[in-house]
């Protein structure tokens, strides 16, 4: 008898709902500026029309020319924050 192998989870499979508060990174990245926000979203937060769920815990604008690479912009913004669980840039 062949051993049973557990099915692998597809990276495109739906993820479980938030079980605890999560940090979400959002941004508007342009040629001149990067505008970033970090939201804290809990499982109890509800989406309302015209408003993102959660609360903004950090918001900052960067001049891209002051940095060698976008990774450096992200490091500067995320300094002191928990790693984000999701991002939309």
């Amino acid at each position: 008898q062949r051993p049973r192998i557990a099915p692998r989870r597809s990276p495109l499979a739906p993820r479980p709902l938030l079980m605890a508060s999560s940090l979400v990174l959002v941004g508007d990245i342009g040629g001149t500026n990067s505008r970033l926000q970090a939201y804290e979203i809990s499982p109890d937060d509800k989406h309302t029309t015209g408003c993102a769920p959660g609360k903004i815990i950090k918001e900052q604008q960067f001049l891209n020319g002051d940095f060698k690479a976008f990774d450096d912009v992200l490091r500067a913004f995320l300094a002191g924050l928990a790693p984000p669980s999701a991002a939309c840039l």
Side-chain angles (χ1 to χ4, degrees):
Q1 210 178 43
R2 292 174 45 184
R4 293 189 70 185
I5 299 173
R8 290 179 51 184
R9 179 186 162 103
S10 165
L12 301 177
R15 304 232 178 241
L17 297 175
L18 295 173
M19 301 303 281
S21 291
S22 296
L23 183 71
V24 176
L25 173 66
V26 297
D28 174 14
I29 314 305
T32 305
N33 297 297
S34 293
R35 295 168 189 85
L36 300 172
Q37 293 178 329
Y39 283 84
E40 185 177 49
I41 300 176
S42 77
D44 298 329
D45 288 331
K46 304 287 188 248
H47 176 73
T48 57
T49 304
C51 234
K55 64 179 180 174
I56 296 174
I57 59 170
K58 187 174 183 179
E59 182 173 29
Q60 198 168 356
Q61 179 174 328
F62 297 90
L63 288 173
N64 294 336
D66 292 345
F67 298 87
K68 289 183 180 182
F70 181 65
D71 288 355
D72 299 325
V73 174
L74 284 178
R75 278 189 203 92
F77 181 74
L78 293 173
L81 296 177
S85 59
C88 181
L89 303 172

